Amino acid sequence: MSIFRSLRHYNYRLFFTGQAISLIGTWMQRVAVSWLVYRLTGSAFLLGLITFLSLIPSLVLAPYAGSYVDRHNKYKILLITQVVLMLQAGALAVMIWFKVYDMFWIAALSLVQGLVNAFDVTARQSLMVNLIDDKEDLPNAIALNSSVFNAARLIGPAVAGVILSTLGEDVCFLINFLSFIAVLGCMLMMKLKITPTEKSKENIWIDLKKGYDYLKSSPDLASMILMMAASSLLVIPFTTLLPVFAKDIFNGTATTFSWFESAAGFGAFFGAIYMATLKASRNLQKIVVFSGTLLAVSVVALAISPSLILALVCTGLASLGLMAQTSSINTYLQTHADDAMRGRTLSYYIMAYQGVLPLGSLLMGYLAHLFGTQVVVAFEGVAGVLIIGAFMLNEKHRQELQRNAVSFN
């Protein structure tokens, strides 16, 4: 079965193409913002704060966004969010072009990005089902979407490293602004047949509670989301501290930082390719455990790496594990959640991943300021091992309860 089988679907092919171009610009902007903040302030805490502001709305708004997306046209929501994100990138470009190095406005624009992303990511994930005519190809489409995201993470930072060293941060922001033209053009060319959702007459917050109750009655989905939340709080924030490794620990430049981001993209890209080759029947829980273990061990190894080369290899392996873990959880949720609850289920996943991550970034940035970056990153890796252990014990207990229930009946 072809690894690119999802691309035979016209709408998904357009979506894939637009995202491939736009995401390169998005990663260039992420690297440029992180480097700009750390170059101007030299503060690991402020680095964590900017990440916090760009992602915290997902924690607060994701469940609401899930209910909202389930009630409205996902395609129109995605069009609007892409336009607003394009304007946000343009505002950053203009500000830095005129050398307005104001941390307040950089923080404010990061917050705007976070607010829009809370709806954008939920709508994009929920729309995926409508882009694929044959639902057997859905797991492959999700994995391919992850692969293009991480291929962009490989290319974007590498290009950003060159541009940051020669032309400056403003050019990175300008390229991101222009890249949105591709995704908007591809979206306008789509031929979608979205069945109108019957709008609930109940209050949207009641719909939100129904999503919560649904997860309570689905322990397999809930355990995946809880593990994602714990990992986002205590393990994944190691990525926020990569500029510190590049600049302070290995005495590097913007180019060195781009190497770390590209190494992360390289590992994650191969993780996504692996996920794309899996058959739909593959045991995703086992992949979650193995990939989470790889992530945790690699993060510990990164913390104690004596050389830049070894640190880059560990960053790549950690990102491979992270990619496989998040992709397998996403695929499991999308393929096991009821159609009527998919948007709300995914919104809780987004809240657990992108919503909890800023809290972790802020916490780990603060702890790195107090105890040192390498000590904190080593702690993150150890925490990852404990999280996987807890998940395995919970799964064993849940399966025993299921067997006992079957035997009783």
Side-chain angles (χ1 to χ4, degrees):
M1 194 175 286
S2 171
I3 191 174
F4 298 110
R5 59 188 179 275
S6 303
L7 294 179
R8 64 192 173 93
H9 303 284
Y10 173 77
N11 290 318
Y12 182 75
R13 190 161 62 247
L14 283 172
F15 179 82
F16 182 90
T17 303
Q19 290 293 306
I21 297 169
S22 179
L23 283 169
I24 291 174
T26 298
W27 274 106
M28 289 178 68
Q29 176 165 308
R30 287 190 185 188
V31 170
V33 168
S34 293
W35 184 256
L36 177 66
V37 170
Y38 198 64
R39 178 174 67 81
L40 294 175
T41 67
S43 169
F45 175 71
L46 281 176
L47 199 59
L49 178 63
I50 294 299
T51 303
F52 173 83
L53 290 172
S54 68
L55 294 174
I56 189 59
S58 292
L59 176 63
V60 180
L61 292 176
Y64 175 83
S67 297
Y68 185 87
V69 166
D70 278 342
R71 288 168 168 242
H72 295 83
N73 188 309
K74 304 172 181 67
Y75 172 76
K76 289 181 179 177
I77 293 171
L78 193 58
L79 266 180
I80 293 168
T81 56
Q82 292 294 299
V83 169
V84 178
L85 289 171
M86 182 181 188
L87 294 175
Q88 186 262 0
L92 268 174
V94 170
M95 190 174 77
I96 304 306
W97 179 272
F98 289 106
K99 301 193 183 320
V100 182
Y101 299 125
D102 191 320
M103 290 305 300
F104 172 81
W105 287 110
I106 293 173
L109 287 169
S110 295
L111 182 60
V112 168
Q113 182 184 37
L115 289 167
V116 178
N117 273 336
F119 292 87
D120 179 83
V121 177
T122 306
R124 191 184 315 142
Q125 296 281 0
S126 299
L127 185 66
M128 194 75 67
V129 177
N130 301 104
L131 302 175
I132 302 295
D133 300 321
D134 183 354
K135 299 303 177 279
E136 285 290 315
D137 291 337
L138 181 60
N140 176 258
I142 294 169
L144 274 186
N145 202 48
S146 297
S147 70
V148 74
F149 178 86
N150 289 290
R153 188 178 182 180
L154 175 62
I155 298 167
V159 176
V162 175
I163 292 176
L164 285 172
S165 301
T166 55
L167 301 173
E169 293 94 349
D170 51 344
V171 177
C172 290
F173 301 143
L174 177 62
I175 291 173
N176 186 37
F177 171 80
L178 295 174
S179 72
F180 279 99
I181 295 172
V183 71
L184 289 170
C186 287
M187 286 191 67
L188 292 172
M189 291 167 63
M190 287 180 183
K191 298 173 183 176
L192 284 176
K193 294 179 181 177
I194 299 178
T195 306
T197 306
E198 185 178 341
K199 289 190 180 181
S200 172
K201 294 186 171 99
E202 293 179 321
N203 186 289
I204 196 167
W205 297 105
I206 295 175
D207 270 359
L208 191 156
K209 186 178 183 301
K210 284 182 179 178
Y212 175 75
D213 292 338
Y214 173 70
L215 285 177
K216 280 182 67 177
S217 66
S218 308
D220 59 325
L221 304 182
S223 64
M224 290 277 189
I225 290 174
L226 286 173
M227 187 182 63
M228 191 76 258
S231 187
S232 295
L233 181 67
L234 299 174
V235 187
I236 303 175
F238 84 92
T239 57
T240 304
L241 298 171
L242 290 179
V244 184
F245 276 90
K247 188 172 185 294
D248 293 345
I249 296 172
F250 294 108
N251 302 311
T253 62
T255 302
T256 313
F257 176 42
S258 75
W259 292 345
F260 272 96
E261 288 290 353
S262 292
F266 192 70
F269 178 70
F270 277 100
I273 292 296
Y274 167 72
M275 292 301 297
T277 61
L278 292 180
K279 295 180 180 178
S281 59
R282 190 65 185 266
N283 188 325
L284 291 170
Q285 284 99 330
K286 287 184 179 179
I287 297 173
V288 167
V289 170
F290 177 78
S291 57
T293 303
L294 176 62
L295 167 63
V297 171
S298 299
V299 168
V300 172
L302 169 64
I304 60 177
S305 294
S307 70
L308 176 60
I309 297 295
L310 187 57
L312 291 172
V313 171
C314 291
T315 300
L317 290 173
S319 294
L320 192 158
L322 175 57
M323 171 63 245
Q325 184 186 58
T326 54
S327 183
S328 53
I329 291 174
N330 188 338
T331 302
Y332 187 90
L333 295 175
Q334 293 229 35
T335 52
H336 287 75
D338 291 344
D339 287 345
M341 289 290 177
R342 185 175 289 110
R344 275 163 280 190
T345 301
L346 289 173
S347 72
Y348 277 97
Y349 163 76
I350 293 163
M351 181 175 69
Y353 184 15
Q354 294 191 354
V356 175
L357 182 56
L359 297 177
S361 296
L362 194 64
L363 175 63
M364 295 306 160
Y366 179 69
L367 292 177
H369 176 72
L370 292 179
F371 303 109
T373 297
Q374 289 168 292
V375 171
V376 170
V377 171
F379 162 78
E380 291 181 75
V382 173
V385 173
L386 296 176
I387 290 166
I388 290 297
F391 176 76
M392 291 173 67
L393 287 173
N394 179 70
E395 282 298 295
K396 183 179 178 182
H397 178 65
R398 185 177 67 80
Q399 289 168 8
E400 284 178 355
L401 287 177
Q402 284 182 335
R403 283 194 294 269
N404 292 337
V406 170
S407 299
F408 181 78
N409 291 332

